[in-house]
Amino acid sequence: MKGIVFTEFVSMVESQFGEDMFDDILDAVQPKSEGAYTAVGTYDHQELVDMVVELSKLCDTPVPALVHAFGLHMGKVFSEKFTSFFIEAGSTIKFLEAIDNHIHVEVRKLYPDAELPVFSFEHVESPTEHFALHYQSTRGFADLALGLIESTSAYFGETFNIDREDWVEGDIHHAIFRLTSA
Ligand code: HEM
């Protein structure tokens, strides 16, 4: 997993839980990288999972809620670091449509070893008109995706009701997010 994800995790932990919290996490988890993350590095994604599990224990907050909060944080960071994708898209739905065939494609050019999920989408007409975004990944970060979707709609000042359905097939985690205008 790319270093930017780790450096932003450290920044979220320090700003939301205080500087000592990250040291406490490192003491408990003792990751192989020793926690010296840089934005250009690549690290074992299990290190992030272990740190989130430890943070969950230390701050008594369930893991899914923390991963979701991290998605909100990453969405804000992406809108500041990769603003052109947001300007180009112009709306939440157009932005979400562009993840798989444009945004993550560009991410892969920047980071050829990126471990990216697969997204597909559909505009469903009936029984209720909505936009459906289908997430698939071996990593099971659908809570992160939800935070990213919500921060995207916050960026565009749009509001949606989001229904979510999760399942696992073999080692692939699936989630469908159904967005209806609120
Ligand atoms: C400008 C916008 C975006 C950028 C620059 C971006 C970039 C990235 C990067 C760098 C990674 C890490 C890859 C790795 O560590 O190997 C990643 C992973 C991921 N991205 Fe994006 N992304 C963007 C938008 C989105 C949006 C809107 C969603 C969800 C709706 C999304 C969902 C995910 C998820 C869930 C992962 C974690 C890996 C997985 O689940 O397999 N991304 N993205």
Side-chain angles (χ1 to χ4, degrees):
M1 178 160 265
K2 298 313 301 176
I4 185 173
V5 181
F6 287 83
T7 53
E8 286 307 328
F9 176 74
V10 177
S11 130
M12 183 191 81
V13 169
E14 290 183 345
S15 66
Q16 296 189 12
F17 301 96
E19 303 242 326
D20 293 344
M21 180 60 98
F22 184 62
D23 292 335
D24 293 345
I25 292 174
L26 283 187
D27 284 347
V29 172
Q30 307 211 330
K32 243 198 329 227
S33 69
E34 297 179 359
Y37 302 114
T38 67
V40 292
T42 300
Y43 308 93
D44 185 348
H45 102 277
Q46 189 58 41
E47 286 196 10
L48 185 67
V49 173
D50 293 345
M51 290 194 292
V52 174
V53 169
E54 187 58 30
L55 176 62
S56 162
K57 283 185 211 153
L58 293 173
C59 71
D60 201 20
T61 303
V63 168
L66 291 173
V67 176
H68 173 236
F70 185 45
L72 291 172
H73 173 87
M74 283 305 287
K76 202 158 175 296
V77 170
F78 286 157
S79 70
E80 287 158 6
K81 278 201 198 316
F82 301 94
T83 318
S84 61
F85 289 124
F86 290 79
I87 294 172
E88 244 174 80
S91 74
T92 308
I93 300 297
K94 290 277 174 228
F95 182 87
L96 298 178
E97 285 178 357
I99 306 171
D100 219 57
N101 56 23
H102 178 41
I103 300 171
H104 278 171
V105 174
E106 294 303 315
V107 168
R108 173 143 346 262
K109 286 184 198 162
L110 211 60
Y111 310 117
D113 59 348
E115 297 170 304
L116 295 164
V118 172
F119 282 100
S120 56
F121 65 85
E122 195 186 347
H123 289 273
V124 181
E125 299 295 330
S126 76
T128 336
E129 199 179 315
H130 67 272
F131 174 78
L133 184 69
H134 184 177
Y135 162 89
Q136 298 180 61
S137 169
T138 51
R139 286 164 293 278
F141 280 141
D143 295 306
L144 186 79
L146 178 62
L148 284 161
I149 294 169
E150 289 170 346
S151 63
T152 301
S153 69
Y155 172 89
F156 288 108
E158 297 174 318
T159 331
F160 296 94
N161 291 320
I162 304 175
D163 265 358
R164 173 176 161 185
E165 192 186 325
D166 287 76
W167 72 100
V168 181
E169 254 172 53
D171 60 351
I172 307 287
H173 296 254
H174 295 255
I176 292 191
F177 300 95
R178 299 180 193 282
L179 280 68
T180 39
S181 294

